C-alpha cells in the first residue's frame, strides 16, 4: 500500500538539505496553495533566493522516523511513482513540487507495509497533534 503524506498535515517534519535555510524573514502570503486549489502563495524575501535543492532526509521524531529521500516523478498516466518495494525504509518526494524552504505543499510518499514486512510509514497513524 502506498501512503501519501502532505507535509502540511504532518507537523514536525524536519527536512535536511544541504542548502536549506531556516531564515524567518521568508514568509508566505495568505491564500490557498496549489494543493488546496487556491492561488500559489507569494514570498517576501529579504535575502538572495537560494538555488533549488532536494530533500536528503526526512525526520518525524514523534514516531521515530528518519529516512533517506529519493526524487519521484509522474508516470505516463500522470500517477506519482512510489519508492521501490525493495527499499521499504525509503521515502519519495515529488520532485516537481516545492523544494525545501519554498512556499507550498510538498508531497512525500512511502509504504506502510510490503510483502516482506513493515515499511517506513507503519506507525503514521500514531502521530497526533503537534510533534517536535
Amino acid at each position: 500500500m502506498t501512503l501519501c503524506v502532505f507535509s502540511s498535515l504532518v507537523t514536525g517534519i524536519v527536512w535536511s538539505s544541504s542548502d536549506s535555510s531556516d531564515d524567518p524573514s521568508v514568509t508566505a502570503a495568505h491564500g490557498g496553495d496549489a494543493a488546496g486549489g487556491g492561488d500559489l502563495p507569494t514570498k517576501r524575501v529579504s535575502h538572495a533566493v537560494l538555488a533549488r535543492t532536494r530533500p536528503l532526509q526526512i525526520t518525524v521524531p514523534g514516531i521515530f522516523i528518519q529516512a533517506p529521500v529519493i526524487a519521484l516523478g509522474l508516470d505516463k498516466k500522470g500517477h506519482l511513482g512510489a519508492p521501490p518495494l525493495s527499499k521499504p525504509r525509503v521515502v519519495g518526494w515529488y520532485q516537481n513540487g516545492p523544494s525545501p524552504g519554498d512556499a507550498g505543499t510538498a508531497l512525500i510518499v512511502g509504504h506502510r507495509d510490503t510483502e516482506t514486512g513493515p515499511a517506513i510509514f507503519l506507525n503514521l497513524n500514531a502521530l497526533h497533534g503537534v510533534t517536535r
Side-chain angles (χ1 to χ4, degrees):
M1 170 198 296
T2 300
L3 179 66
C4 296
V5 181
F6 287 92
S7 66
S8 63
L9 300 178
V10 181
T11 306
I13 293 178
V14 179
W15 288 98
S16 297
S17 175
S18 59
D19 292 349
S20 68
S21 171
D22 293 329
D23 188 347
S25 65
V26 178
T27 57
H30 292 289
D33 61 17
D39 294 330
L40 289 174
T42 58
K43 285 196 242 181
R44 182 179 52 224
V45 180
S46 63
H47 58 79
V49 177
L50 297 174
R52 183 169 171 83
T53 60
R54 73 171 197 86
L56 302 175
Q57 175 177 296
I58 185 168
T59 302
V60 186
I63 52 175
F64 309 104
I65 288 177
Q66 185 170 355
V69 178
I70 62 171
L72 298 173
L74 301 178
D75 64 16
K76 291 179 183 181
K77 293 183 178 182
H79 300 138
L80 181 61
L85 290 171
S86 62
K87 296 183 178 184
R89 304 283 305 160
V90 171
V91 173
W93 162 71
Y94 178 51
Q95 65 187 353
N96 295 326
S99 71
D102 285 349
T105 303
L107 181 65
I108 58 169
V109 295
H111 299 283
R112 186 176 176 103
D113 59 14
T114 66
E115 291 180 0
T116 60
I120 193 67
F121 288 137
L122 177 66
N123 296 321
L124 192 62
N125 62 328
L127 186 63
H128 299 285
V130 177
T131 303
R132 292 197 183 260

